[in-house]
Amino acid sequence: TSCIGCLGGTSLLLNACGTAAHYAKFSLLEKRLAVNKSEFVYTTKKGEQRERTSVLIKPTGAPFPIALHRSPEGYTACLMRCTHQACEVEIQGERYACPCHGSEFDHRGNVLQGPAETPLQTFKTEENEQQVFILLA
């Protein structure tokens, strides 16, 4: 087991209903990224515990992050690279939006609005009680 990068504690503010996208800590286990489910939980300034629906993972050297989204159906992982002209897609609530030309995708990577015509690249996921695994190969 080796950790190729830990970006926890770093966050990027996005215009998504005033929320911040959280870059999750992760580890690389062979050809899969392991993210603790606790990365989806945070404490507000008032001391209340809340849950995120999405976190971002950016492995060292990767040109684009991967969004890991949690829903009642399970976890989905999408490469945040727009299929229209390769701009980095941003999390905006339950959608992913491309700031370059306005394409929108759902949390499964499906196109909601063009000009993109192709879904985002997705990765299979697996989970156990404590972790979610993003399968890279």
Side-chain angles (χ1 to χ4, degrees):
T1 304
S2 66
C3 181
I4 64 169
C6 294
L7 300 174
T10 303
S11 64
L12 173 67
L13 291 178
L14 300 176
N15 294 326
C17 306
T19 60
H22 174 73
Y23 278 88
K25 294 178 185 176
F26 64 93
S27 58
L28 179 64
L29 307 169
E30 296 181 15
K31 293 193 178 199
R32 60 188 190 160
L33 298 170
V35 179
N36 288 333
K37 290 181 178 180
S38 63
E39 289 289 336
F40 287 89
V41 179
Y42 68 99
T43 304
T44 67
K45 291 180 182 178
K46 294 181 180 182
E48 300 169 337
Q49 283 213 328
R50 301 267 170 99
E51 293 189 17
R52 299 177 173 92
T53 55
S54 297
V55 297
L56 292 172
I57 297 98
K58 184 146 187 213
T60 302
F64 296 95
I66 296 170
L68 182 60
H69 182 85
R70 183 179 55 97
S71 71
E73 296 84 37
Y75 292 87
T76 55
C78 294
L79 184 65
M80 300 301 277
R81 178 187 180 273
C82 184
T83 56
H84 175 239
Q85 289 190 350
C87 291
E88 187 171 320
V89 178
E90 300 172 344
I91 297 172
Q92 292 190 355
E94 290 293 313
R95 297 176 181 226
Y96 303 141
C98 179
C100 297
H101 301 105
S103 293
E104 292 185 5
F105 306 86
D106 68 15
H107 68 269
R108 290 182 188 93
N110 299 312
V111 177
L112 297 172
Q113 175 179 306
E117 297 177 356
T118 307
L120 297 176
Q121 178 183 344
T122 59
F123 301 91
K124 289 184 180 182
T125 61
E126 296 176 348
E127 65 179 293
N128 63 24
E129 196 171 302
Q130 296 178 351
Q131 294 180 306
V132 180
F133 302 97
I134 301 170
L135 310 178
L136 300 176

